Amino acid sequence: SAMPEVAGRAALFVDPGQTEDLALALVRRTSDPDLRRHLADLGQDRAREFPWDRAVTETWNAYSGLLNGSCGEDSLGTAR
């Protein structure tokens, strides 16, 4: 899953197949105002690392690469 990469420290992670762990994380998240505030602050910080202009540029480059047949290569033509 890409969730740890995207959320960083701004989330509580559980195995989605472990319903008890998921329930405990939800209870913890909803019942602890300090944790809620802390995760919200971390989430705002994390969101600033993904500005829209960068998302647009990377999406544009990905589609351009597909159309130009260079999918899987970076801007220097190096395979990823």
Side-chain angles (χ1 to χ4, degrees), residues 2-55:
M3 287 304 297
E5 180 181 336
V6 172
R9 297 179 319 130
L12 298 177
F13 296 103
V14 297
D15 179 340
Q18 300 297 318
T19 54
E20 186 174 323
D21 291 349
L22 180 57
L24 290 171
L26 288 170
V27 168
R28 183 175 169 215
R29 164 63 180 78
T30 56
S31 64
D32 184 339
D34 292 332
L35 176 63
R36 203 168 41 244
R37 206 169 5 265
H38 180 67
L39 291 175
D41 290 343
L42 290 173
Q44 290 295 317
D45 292 343
R46 189 71 176 146
R48 282 189 270 286
E49 296 180 32
F50 299 94
W52 276 111
D53 59 334
R54 188 173 108 198

